[in-house]
Amino acid sequence: MATLSIYVPDQEPYAVDLDGIEQLSVGRGSDNDIVIDHVSLSGSHAVIRNASGVYQVTDLGSTNGTFVNGEQVTESPLSEGLQIAFGNVQVVFSDGEAAPEAPEEPATGSAGVADVAHDQPPVVAEVSNSPANFKNLSPIEKIEKKDTLGQIAIIVGVVAILAAVALIALSATMKAV
């Protein structure tokens, strides 16, 4: 029984049974057969095909790529124990020969791509809001959160200046009368 064991960051792992399925689409979009709600996946990320028991993964031109055992691929046959990465989501393929093992977290370089060339120990990110090479194409500017303490200090300063001006104006009118 062929399965995909899917390890989404900050979620419980789960398995998808591939027996009897000829093709599965993987991505963030709701029109995919396997919907993985993670920012590192494209809407339509990849396709897994079964041709008479021989499974193959094909990247659909995704932003963050598809990797098999740390190598970026556009197409690759799948065999027992291969680790697939759709963006930052790790997947282990099992054709039923042995139980799948949890994948190692890859060390990532500045582009968010597995750093297998330097044999560095895995580094787990504390927070991942978007991939390192993500480009926002929205015409609406991102609103940056302001420094609340700084804003309060500015408001207090402005109120103090206005109070001083009001006192000066009041004393000037008192002397004039």
Side-chain angles (χ1 to χ4, degrees), residues 21-22 48-57 76-79 93:
I21 297 175
E22 290 182 23
I48 297 173
R49 291 185 178 86
N50 175 5
S52 303
V54 177
Y55 291 89
Q56 178 173 323
V57 64
S76 177
L78 300 177
S79 59
F93 175 79

Side-chain angles (χ1 to χ4, degrees), residues 101-147:
E101 295 179 18
E104 290 182 23
E105 289 289 325
T108 55
S110 62
V113 178
D115 188 1
V116 295
H118 296 94
D119 291 328
Q120 296 176 352
V123 177
V124 179
E126 293 297 321
V127 177
S128 175
N129 292 331
S130 62
N133 59 352
F134 179 77
K135 292 186 174 75
N136 186 357
L137 299 177
S138 173
I140 301 170
E141 287 186 33
K142 181 178 179 183
I143 298 173
E144 294 293 328
K145 186 175 179 179
K146 304 285 193 246
D147 178 23

Side-chain angles (χ1 to χ4, degrees), residues 51-70:
S52 303
V54 177
Y55 291 89
Q56 178 173 323
V57 64
T58 304
D59 185 78
L60 299 176
S62 62
T63 302
N64 293 313
T66 299
F67 295 79
V68 174
N69 283 352

Side-chain angles (χ1 to χ4, degrees), residues 1-90:
M1 172 170 81
T3 59
L4 293 176
S5 298
I6 302 173
Y7 301 87
V8 181
D10 301 324
Q11 294 182 21
E12 288 293 316
Y14 61 96
V16 175
D17 182 12
L18 299 177
D19 284 346
I21 297 175
E22 290 182 23
Q23 178 173 309
L24 282 173
S25 59
V26 178
R28 211 174 53 213
S30 61
D31 57 335
N32 289 291
D33 299 311
I34 300 175
V35 177
I36 302 174
D37 188 22
H38 192 268
V39 296
S40 66
L41 267 74
S42 293
S44 295
H45 199 98
V47 171
I48 297 173
R49 291 185 178 86
N50 175 5
S52 303
V54 177
Y55 291 89
Q56 178 173 323
V57 64
T58 304
D59 185 78
L60 299 176
S62 62
T63 302
N64 293 313
T66 299
F67 295 79
V68 174
N69 283 352
E71 300 283 329
Q72 188 165 13
V73 298
T74 53
E75 246 181 41
S76 177
L78 300 177
S79 59
E80 178 63 37
L82 279 182
Q83 292 187 12
I84 308 161
F86 300 121
N88 292 337
V89 175
Q90 300 295 315

